[in-house]
């Protein structure tokens, strides 16, 4: 299909800053991949606004350092560390099984599906999935499905729970390849990243359609941070280059990138602004959506392919064993 962008979305106020994050006290949020970059920034702002924030990490030492950093910035922060490796369905199940007990009757109000890896060499998750699709998309698909109970408990308590997906400008060159979803025939690191970020966006839009059909209040939205200076680059593709090339490219990159703090703004707007509607996508307002304050942005045409989204959903159910039964429309 053609990949002309969707028509520009309706007007949305620019000039938004985290100053506009309303009082989050009484809300509980879970942020995946909170040890660095956007996840750490999002956690700090949510905690500063009064939310109880569950920050996930796959390394206890890194997780404890991140929690300590948020507490340093926000002494009143209510933050807790949860261990999670999205490259392991067993780890996802384990977190989802132990979480409800600590959440109480009002459940989970916000799930930020942030963790990710970018353009990594070919590798597989514990369950045999291509690592980028497995971590960025399938892990979050399984986590969201397994946390539907606590999210719907928030809805039952009279709130409007939200799920925020992290996509990327890379979704525009991404293609879902049903004939080789795990890229076993031919692996190209950036192409696999593009597929995973398109899958994240299509998942967010399909979840929104399914919650609507099921008559649920749960809001599913997506965001992207433009190009932000985080470990995704330094620990990923840049980190694998020879030292001098890495240094030079790093300096050029830093001049072009916005800070991780500002990259977190579209995520924070999608996660907290009262006027956000399910199915929206937020990104930076600046040239090429690379930087700037967050506004509603368009998606590629491929991201709006509902037949492919349905196929991807069914495939994710098959691969993860998580079926989202709670979203089946109730018979009239
Ligand atoms: N930075 C950008 O310009 C940019 C652009 C577009 C989209 N994004 C998206 O933004 C999100 C956050 O990335 P970032 O830029 O903040 O990068 P980052 O600083 O590298 O943060 C990535 C986070 O994901 C975690 N993670 C990686 N693999 C994981 C796994 N298997 N299980 C659980 N957690 C895992 C990392 O944990 P460890 O500390 O253990 O590694 C880290 O906490 C990603 O989804 C990325 O695709 C970023």
């Amino acid at each position: 299909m053609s990949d002309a962008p969707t028509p520009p979305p309706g007007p949305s106020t620019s000039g938004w800053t985290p100053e506009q994050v309303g009082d989050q006290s009484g809300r509980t949020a879970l942020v995946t991949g909170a040890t660095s970059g956007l996840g750490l920034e999002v956690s700090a702002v949510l905690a500063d606004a009064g939310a109880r924030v569950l920050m996930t990490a796959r390394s206890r030492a890194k997780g404890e350092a991140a929690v300590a950093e948020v507490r340093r910035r926000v002494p009143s922060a209510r933050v807790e560390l949860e261990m999670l490796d999205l490259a392991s369905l067993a780890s996802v199940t384990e977190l989802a099984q132990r979480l409800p007990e600590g959440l109480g009757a009002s459940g989970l109000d916000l799930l930020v599906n942030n963790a990710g890896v970018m353009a990594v060499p070919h590798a597989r998750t514990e369950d045999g999935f291509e690592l980028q699709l497995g971590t960025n998309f399938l892990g979050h698909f399984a986590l969201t499905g397994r946390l539907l109970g606590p999210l719907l408990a928030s809805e039952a308590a009279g709130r409007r729970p939200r799920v925020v997906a992290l996509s990327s400008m890379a979704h525009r060159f991404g293609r879902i390849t049903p004939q080789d979803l795990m890229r076993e025939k031919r692996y190209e690191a950036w192409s696999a990243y593009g597929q995973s970020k398109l899958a994240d966006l299509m998942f967010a839009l399909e979840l929104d359609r399914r919650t609507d059909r099921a008559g649920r209040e749960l809001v599913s939205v997506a965001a992207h941070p433009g190009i932000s200076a985080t470990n995704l680059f330094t620990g990923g593709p840049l980190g694998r280059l020879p030292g001098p090339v890495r240094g030079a490219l790093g300096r050029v990159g830093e001049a072009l990138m916005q800070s991780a703090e500002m990259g977190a703004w579209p995520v924070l707007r999608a996660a907290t602004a009262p006027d956000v509607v399910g199915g929206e996508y937020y990104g930076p307002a600046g040239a090429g959506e690379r930087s700037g304050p967050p506004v509603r942005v368009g998606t590629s045409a491929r991201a709006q392919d509902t037949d492919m989204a349905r196929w991807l959903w069914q495939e994710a159910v098959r691969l993860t064993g998580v079926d989202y039964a709670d979203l089946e429309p109730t018979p009239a």
Side-chain angles (χ1 to χ4, degrees):
M1 75 187 295
S2 113
D3 202 41
T6 50
S12 79
T13 336
S14 67
W16 190 96
T17 74
E19 303 277 296
Q20 282 159 261
V21 172
D23 182 10
Q24 302 291 307
S25 37
R27 295 186 86 207
T28 301
L30 185 139
V31 181
T32 68
T35 55
S36 64
L38 310 176
L40 179 60
E41 298 301 326
V42 167
S43 300
V45 173
L46 291 175
D48 196 29
R52 174 185 174 202
V53 186
L54 311 178
M55 298 170 64
T56 84
R58 53 182 172 164
S59 138
R60 187 164 291 282
K62 272 186 168 183
E64 282 170 357
V67 164
E69 171 60 16
V70 172
R71 290 199 179 121
R72 189 190 64 75
R73 292 192 210 174
V74 185
S76 61
R78 294 177 65 215
V79 278
E80 290 152 50
L81 176 61
E82 290 290 347
M83 301 309 295
L84 171 69
D85 181 356
L86 286 154
S88 158
L89 290 177
S91 171
V92 169
T93 305
E94 205 189 307
L95 173 65
Q97 278 172 349
R98 72 171 180 268
L99 213 53
E101 213 174 303
L103 287 173
S106 55
L108 182 65
D109 303 299
L110 172 63
L111 172 60
V112 183
N113 285 329
N114 163 77
V117 286
M118 181 175 79
V120 291
H122 186 258
R124 289 183 212 283
T125 67
E126 192 176 287
D127 306 281
F129 309 145
E130 183 277 310
L131 186 63
Q132 300 189 75
L133 191 79
T135 306
N136 302 354
F137 167 54
L138 290 168
H140 283 123
F141 180 90
L143 181 69
T144 307
R146 295 231 179 265
L147 291 180
L148 259 189
L151 287 163
L152 295 178
S154 157
E155 185 179 307
R159 298 135 185 246
R160 292 195 80 201
R162 282 189 202 185
V163 178
V164 183
L166 256 290
S167 187
S168 163
M169 289 191 289
H171 92 267
R172 293 185 177 280
F173 62 74
R175 280 180 173 66
I176 308 295
T177 49
Q179 70 287 3
D180 188 20
L181 192 64
M182 298 302 163
R183 303 292 166 100
E184 276 155 5
K185 293 185 189 137
R186 186 169 169 275
Y187 184 78
E188 199 281 306
W190 280 105
S191 170
Y193 180 67
Q195 172 174 254
S196 76
K197 289 287 128 181
L198 175 59
D200 282 338
L201 184 51
M202 292 176 88
F203 167 42
L205 301 180
E206 181 67 13
L207 180 59
D208 171 58
R209 289 187 286 268
R210 286 177 186 247
T211 52
D212 271 3
R213 278 205 299 275
R216 295 293 189 174
E217 291 290 316
L218 178 75
V219 171
S220 170
V221 284
H224 82 85
I227 307 181
S228 304
T230 69
N231 289 347
L232 204 66
F233 292 92
T234 43
L238 262 186
R240 290 189 293 277
L241 293 171
V245 184
R246 186 171 65 234
L249 275 181
R251 282 190 293 281
V252 174
E254 269 168 30
L256 294 174
M257 290 180 202
Q258 61 178 350
S259 64
E261 183 191 352
M262 203 156 168
W265 293 8
V267 186
L268 286 161
R269 184 170 183 177
T272 63
D275 59 351
V276 167
V277 173
E280 289 181 340
Y281 183 37
Y282 286 83
E289 295 175 21
R290 286 189 299 272
S291 61
V295 291
R296 273 183 64 201
V297 292
T299 74
S300 69
R302 273 192 287 273
Q304 304 287 340
D305 181 343
T306 51
D307 290 340
M308 183 62 89
R310 253 194 316 276
W311 178 85
L312 187 64
W313 183 284
Q314 280 154 9
E315 192 62 4
V317 169
R318 188 183 72 76
L319 291 164
T320 62
V322 179
D323 67 3
Y324 286 74
D326 286 345
L327 285 190
E328 292 305 317
T330 36

